[in-house]
Amino acid sequence: MTAPAPSRFDEPWQAQLFALTVALSEAGHFSWPDWTQAFGATLKRHGAARALDGGADYYAAWLETLEALLDTRGFAGRDEAETMRAAWEAAYLSTPHGSPVRLRNAG
Amino acid sequence: MPHDDHDHPHSLLPPEPALRVKALETILTAKGLVDPAALDEILDTYERKVGPHLGAAVVARAWSDPDYRARLLADATAAIAELEISGRQGEHMVAVENTPETHNMVVCTLCSCYPWPVLGIPPGWYKSDAYRARAVREPRKVLAEFGVTLPDGQKVRVWDSTAEVRYLVIPMRPAGTEGLDEAALARLVTRDSMIGTGLPTGPA
């Protein structure tokens, strides 16, 4: 048999998301069992609608779980996260190609 | 192919989830909840350093050194640490050894708990609903799809990983490998053979 090539991450944001979650847990902001419970619940909910293939849908569920957890625990509220996402989007759209993208009023 | 050299009016917009991750990262680092240096170190570890080659070294050592094998089966976390491989979150590692009587196979029915320190990031199929649901229910059928057919007398034992306990399968050493050193043995140990959905490759 031939095993599929070892996959790490399909897209850079998945790696960032993974690292962010591990870093939060290591810093003691939530325990890993808390994380797996929350993540398992999201996967179950998504999987009820259609079978997840373990690729992009897996990290979509991961991101949704982390956003909800950070909102619930008051680390990053939904509105705050959405405002920041929009700020990044605006920064990308207003930065000339080839220049480093920075938030307009990053503190 | 002609090179299309039109002007990009602005930077390429990353995909939607990438912007959401970036937003969280900005907020959390600004609040001091996450250290950017720690983040970089985790990224570096999982993108470049950790992978199945570490697990393969553990298996090859166990095949070559009966005392190490005994220590690994008694306390895998400590035995793995002997090879200067360490877990990040203090996951408790358990090594389960295949024998002619029992074949071991690992799944995480809850989400995707996996022995990261020795195998790295799990493959897509390990995280799929299909594998997570079927590994426990019909392991032989799943194994057959991976091209693994076990003798009738060998039973399959499925281990469900959790946030606290991660399993590593120690496959059986292939026949005809008596003269091989650890480095050569490690090359026979596939990732899937340490999850239990594969077998080691034979000697060349």
Side-chain angles (χ1 to χ4, degrees):
Chain A
M1 64 161 289
T2 48
S7 74
R8 294 198 176 182
F9 299 96
D10 295 330
E11 295 190 51
W13 67 265
Q14 298 172 353
Q16 290 292 136
L17 175 62
F18 172 87
L20 197 57
T21 311
V22 172
L24 281 161
S25 174
E26 284 186 2
H29 301 305
F30 50 76
S31 73
W32 201 254
D34 285 353
W35 164 256
T36 56
Q37 285 301 329
F39 184 36
T42 309
L43 286 173
K44 199 166 174 182
R45 207 170 57 246
H46 286 201
R50 62 190 178 86
L52 306 178
D53 70 7
D57 52 14
Y58 172 85
Y59 285 104
W62 186 306
L63 177 54
E64 184 185 312
T65 309
L66 185 64
E67 285 174 334
L69 198 64
L70 293 173
D71 179 54
T72 311
R73 305 220 171 177
F75 295 134
R78 284 208 181 279
D79 294 347
E80 192 182 359
E82 170 49 29
T83 304
M84 187 61 79
R85 188 206 60 77
W88 273 113
E89 186 179 86
Y92 273 92
L93 293 176
S94 64
T95 305
H97 185 67
S99 306
V101 179
R102 293 201 181 88
L103 280 180
R104 196 68 56 83
N105 45 6
Chain B
M1 283 248 301
H3 182 64
D4 206 8
D5 202 18
H6 59 252
D7 284 338
H8 290 276
H10 56 73
S11 298
L12 208 60
L13 193 63
E16 168 73 13
L19 289 172
R20 283 159 62 195
V21 172
K22 225 167 159 47
L24 294 180
E25 193 182 322
T26 310
I27 295 167
L28 297 168
T29 50
K31 290 185 180 176
L33 293 165
V34 164
D35 173 10
L39 212 49
D40 285 346
E41 206 245 289
I42 294 166
L43 269 176
D44 188 49
T45 301
Y46 286 101
E47 286 204 297
R48 279 175 283 279
K49 293 181 188 153
V50 174
H53 60 285
L54 297 176
V58 171
V59 171
R61 174 70 57 88
W63 284 349
S64 312
D65 178 347
D67 290 339
Y68 183 77
R69 174 184 161 273
R71 290 200 297 280
L72 183 66
L73 293 173
D75 182 351
T77 310
I80 288 167
E82 283 180 42
L83 301 192
E84 297 188 353
I85 301 166
S86 61
R88 297 198 64 90
Q89 301 155 304
E91 309 94 281
H92 184 57
M93 292 286 311
V94 172
V96 289
E97 187 183 46
N98 288 348
T99 64
E101 291 76 39
T102 309
H103 178 89
N104 297 287
M105 187 172 157
V106 181
V107 67
C108 172
T109 55
L110 175 66
C111 50
S112 55
C113 299
Y114 190 71
W116 295 344
V118 283
L119 296 185
I121 300 299
W125 57 260
Y126 186 84
K127 303 175 292 193
S128 70
D129 278 1
Y131 181 75
R132 289 166 43 229
R134 295 179 53 226
V136 174
R137 214 169 54 222
E138 43 186 23
R140 276 182 192 270
K141 229 168 147 177
V142 172
L143 284 174
E145 287 162 25
F146 276 90
V148 177
T149 311
L150 302 174
D152 285 341
Q154 194 180 22
K155 64 180 197 298
V156 181
R157 181 144 187 208
V158 181
W159 301 82
D160 195 356
S161 307
T162 66
E164 290 94 357
V165 184
R166 317 287 176 101
Y167 300 96
L168 177 72
V169 174
I170 309 299
M172 285 191 283
R173 180 170 174 164
T177 58
E178 292 72 20
L180 298 185
D181 64 12
E182 269 185 51
L185 286 171
R187 285 196 285 276
L188 308 179
V189 185
T190 61
R191 178 196 65 205
D192 289 3
S193 74
M194 294 181 279
I195 306 175
T197 53
L199 300 174
T201 53

